[in-house]
Each structure stands twice: as structure tokens, then as C-alpha cells.
Amino acid sequence: MTEHPATDGSIITAAVLVIGNEILSGRTRDVNLPYLAVQLNEIGVRLREARVVPDVEQEIVDAVDQCRARYDYVFTTGGIGPTHDDITAASVAKAFGLPLVLNPEAVARLEAHYEPGTLNEARLRMAHTPEGATLIDNPVSIAPGFQIGNVFVLAGVPSIMQAMFEGLKHRLAGGAPVLSRTVAAFLPEGAIAKGLGALQDRYPGLEIGSYPFFRQGKFGTSLVLRGTESATLAAAADELRALIRSLDAEPLETEPA
């Protein structure tokens, strides 16, 4: 596992760990995962796994350990605030076998941000990182995230998380950008499944997915092809259109409203 993958056309992978009981309880709806999925795809990093993890130290440690060994990058969101249940930093430190320390640069940033005498013990919790971590800037509310190895620890508040990611994405080495084509048809999945499976066999380098819909009183299927070579995508899309026509339907380039 390399911590700094090279841009050599290889597939670069990532996992996202959404941390917080409030997500699992349904009290808060997560919007960070869709954002990260889109942003990573744009720079050629394929999101391969996402987990929602409770505010339980050992579960965070296990998830971080498993994902950092399996993927090129791991992004965590949530659990780096000033309260007792913000345990992500300590858990990540434990996963790496490192001490959790008061980061001098993080302290300096907080001191410059808060009024004199208001940087209390709770707020100083946000200045703790694993020893040797690199800070991730937070232009919204100052308290930084951090990177240790191939793990990037981000805030849970969407506006802060997004600002953090914008500031760090230049550190990421992506693979070949993932392109996609979508063809829809008023055909049920069962009608097209056999031909679609054969198409996938002919194009093993593509990801081909089918997604049913019900519009205008009819069943239909959106078919999404994803890959890194535009010519291959175009050829597979042409074959897909021919398959749809052979089933007495007309291919649509967008799903009907």
C-alpha cells in the first residue's frame, strides 16, 4: 500500500468513514458521502467503500485499520469537535499506534482565532492530533483536520468538510478520470438482463449498472456505463442501443422525467 499513489493510469481507490451516532439514529442526514464521491471521481479516485461508524473507539479503530490497508486513501468525516463524544482523533491515533498530542500549530491557529481567555479546555480538544500528523486547513471555523499516512480526518459539518477537501485535494494523486454514459429505455430490467450480461462480458474493463424507474405510467431502466477510455465507452454504448432496439424499444440518452 502506497501512501502517495502515482498518476500512472492505474486505478486509485478510496473509502469514506462517516462517523457519528447522529447519522445512525437518523437525526442527521449525511450529505458528505455524495459530495466526496463526486469530487473523488472527478480527480480519478474511485470510491470503493463507505461505512457509517458509531462513536465507539474500537469500532473506529477497526474501520480505519481495515480500510487504510485495503485502499489508497481513507477519508473520515465527523467526530473532531470539542465535546466528549468527539473521539475520532484519539481513535485514529490508536489505529496508527501513535500518541495523541497537542499540536502546536493547531494551538496557534486557535489562539489567533479566539478572543484572549476564551480558548478553554474543550476548544483545545480540537488541537489534538496523532503525533506527526499534517494539518488540513479549515477556512470556515479554523479548527483543523489532519492527515496521517493515507488517512484524511475531516469535519462532519458539510460546509467545513467541503472547504477542507477543497484545500487538500491537490495532495491527492488520482488515476485515469472515470467517464460515464447513460442510456435509458422503457424496458423492465428482466427484459434486458441477458443481453446486458453478455455486453458486460464483452467489455470487462467497464462497469455496467442497471437502475429501474417508473415514469409516465411505464417501467423502464437506466443503464450506466463507466470506464476510463472514451472510445471503449462509445463502442459499448452503440452496442447497448442496438440491444435495446432489438427488443422493440427506443434508446433514450436521458431518463424520462
Side-chain angles (χ1 to χ4, degrees):
M1 172 60 62
T2 176
E3 294 181 2
H4 302 285
T7 51
D8 58 1
S10 59
I11 295 176
I12 306 302
T13 61
V16 171
L17 304 179
V18 180
I19 297 172
N21 292 340
E22 70 276 10
I23 302 295
L24 288 166
S25 71
R27 180 179 177 84
T28 300
R29 185 176 65 178
D30 176 65
V31 297
N32 291 329
L33 175 57
Y35 172 86
L36 287 170
V38 171
Q39 293 295 314
L40 291 169
N41 184 70
E42 288 181 355
I43 60 175
V45 177
R46 302 194 189 192
L47 183 59
R48 291 300 200 202
E49 184 174 348
R51 304 187 191 184
V52 182
V53 185
D55 296 313
V56 176
E57 182 183 81
Q58 194 56 52
E59 295 202 31
I60 298 172
V61 170
D62 291 344
V64 169
D65 270 340
Q66 292 163 13
C67 289
R68 72 187 180 97
R70 189 175 301 162
Y71 305 106
D72 294 292
Y73 298 122
V74 179
F75 300 88
T76 76
T77 68
I80 58 172
T83 60
H84 72 281
D85 57 345
D86 290 311
I87 61 171
T88 299
S91 301
V92 171
K94 185 174 181 179
F96 278 85
L98 294 169
L100 186 71
V101 300
L102 198 59
N103 186 293
E105 175 58 25
V107 173
R109 295 185 188 190
L110 293 175
E111 286 177 337
H113 177 69
Y114 288 106
E115 292 291 330
T118 63
L119 184 56
N120 56 29
E121 182 178 351
R123 287 169 172 164
L124 275 174
R125 284 175 59 89
M126 299 185 292
H128 285 81
T129 69
E131 188 174 59
T134 301
L135 297 184
I136 296 172
D137 292 339
N138 172 2
V140 178
S141 59
I142 302 303
F146 62 85
Q147 175 190 354
I148 185 73
N150 62 338
V151 178
F152 297 80
V153 176
L154 309 177
V157 177
S159 61
I160 300 175
M161 188 282 296
Q162 292 174 21
M164 284 182 170
F165 185 82
E166 282 299 312
L168 72 82
K169 67 181 181 182
H170 69 278
R171 304 183 193 178
L172 306 177
V178 180
L179 310 172
S180 68
R181 295 283 184 91
T182 301
V183 181
F186 282 114
L187 287 169
E189 281 188 300
I192 203 169
K194 182 178 179 180
L196 196 64
L199 183 67
Q200 179 71 86
D201 290 341
R202 290 195 296 277
Y203 292 91
L206 298 182
E207 297 174 8
I208 303 177
S210 65
Y211 308 94
F213 62 81
F214 184 76
R215 300 285 188 276
Q216 303 172 17
K218 295 180 288 185
F219 287 101
T221 305
S222 286
L223 304 156
V224 180
L225 301 88
R226 302 177 77 241
T228 58
E229 298 179 1
S230 59
T232 303
L233 272 176
D238 285 343
E239 289 193 34
L240 179 56
R241 294 184 191 98
L243 169 63
I244 290 169
R245 292 190 179 99
S246 74
L247 296 170
D248 298 321
E250 188 62 29
L252 308 168
E253 295 306 311
T254 58
E255 183 179 314

